[in-house]
Amino acid sequence: TEHGLQRVRQEGLEHVSLDVPETVVEAVTPARRGGVWACSRNGRLFHVASDGTITRHPLPASPGIRVQKLLEDHEGTLWIGTQSHGALRMVGDALSTMGAGQGLGSDSVESLMEDSEGNVWVGTEGGGLHRFNQGPALPFGLSEGLPVNNVSAVFEDADGDVWIGTLGAGVVRRSNGRFTTFGPEQGLGARHIRSIGQSQDGSLWFG
């Protein structure tokens, strides 16, 4: 939030102090070892343990770095999506950068998702979608069937299909390697999709 990190428990709402003044928390994701990872807008990364212990992890001191998304995958790699510095990957205390100079289609990361097979999907602004596993990134863009290269959300449904929210073309389903676009022409009420979820009855929800 604009006022730091907040936690809701059975006892009510609790403010979690990160001991840093004027910290706007931009992204939060569960941590495999318990607690959560949280990152401020200006690039300060914290692990907040379940008992409230806070550990700060330094990120590169690049001017203007702004974190937008966090994801910890099944191997414990923390993916940090930034607005203009690509995706940072943290293994232990070691950091590596994946940006336009390392094969990512854009330095602006808008979405991160790990699917049921352990692939990490990175959606970018202007650079399409990329799927990471052990080898080089596999890109998906206009030539692979995406209607636009602005990917704002990625979600895997219960059947294993990947749904891709775009800025400008509605939502796209990837099923059995094929892309199908759903926009206003197919009854979708918007061309800009920023979030995707699925309820217990199997319904998909787009925001």
Side-chain angles (χ1 to χ4, degrees):
T1 74
E2 294 181 358
H3 302 288
L5 192 62
Q6 310 287 325
R7 174 167 57 182
V8 178
R9 313 179 81 171
Q10 290 184 346
E11 297 83 4
L13 184 65
E14 173 189 4
H15 173 73
V16 178
S17 174
L18 299 175
D19 295 325
V20 178
E22 300 179 2
T23 297
V24 177
V25 175
E26 192 80 10
V28 178
T29 195
R32 292 177 69 247
R33 54 177 164 163
V36 298
W37 293 99
C39 200
S40 67
R41 178 176 296 173
N42 54 3
R44 295 186 175 102
L45 176 66
F46 305 88
H47 176 257
V48 183
S50 300
D51 64 2
T53 302
I54 297 173
T55 305
R56 181 174 173 178
H57 295 261
L59 293 179
S62 301
I65 188 171
R66 178 172 177 175
V67 172
Q68 302 192 121
K69 299 293 180 181
L70 290 174
L71 169 72
E72 186 175 5
D73 66 23
H74 72 286
E75 295 181 336
T77 298
L78 183 65
W79 295 71
I80 305 164
T82 74
Q83 188 179 56
S84 58
H85 292 73
L88 307 178
R89 292 186 291 185
M90 189 172 79
V91 182
D93 290 325
L95 273 170
S96 61
T97 301
M98 180 63 67
Q102 295 79 32
L104 199 65
S106 166
D107 282 330
S108 181
V109 174
E110 295 288 327
S111 56
L112 295 167
M113 187 272 288
E114 183 180 22
D115 66 22
S116 56
E117 297 180 349
N119 302 299
V120 173
W121 298 76
V122 180
T124 70
E125 181 181 357
L129 182 65
H130 294 71
R131 187 179 69 191
F132 289 85
N133 205 306
Q134 298 298 324
L138 182 63
F140 299 95
L142 300 179
S143 59
E144 287 77 27
L146 281 183
V148 294
N149 275 328
N150 296 321
V151 175
S152 50
V154 189
F155 179 80
E156 183 185 29
D157 68 18
D159 295 323
D161 292 342
V162 174
W163 293 81
I164 303 152
T166 75
L167 298 179
V171 68
V172 182
R173 180 182 65 196
R174 184 176 187 271
S175 180
N176 297 319
R178 300 183 61 182
F179 291 100
T180 304
T181 300
F182 301 89
E185 297 80 6
Q186 290 77 32
L188 193 67
R191 293 187 182 275
H192 301 312
I193 303 298
R194 299 184 181 276
S195 60
I196 305 171
Q198 187 171 28
S199 54
Q200 290 184 346
D201 64 0
S203 299
L204 286 162
W205 297 77
F206 306 113

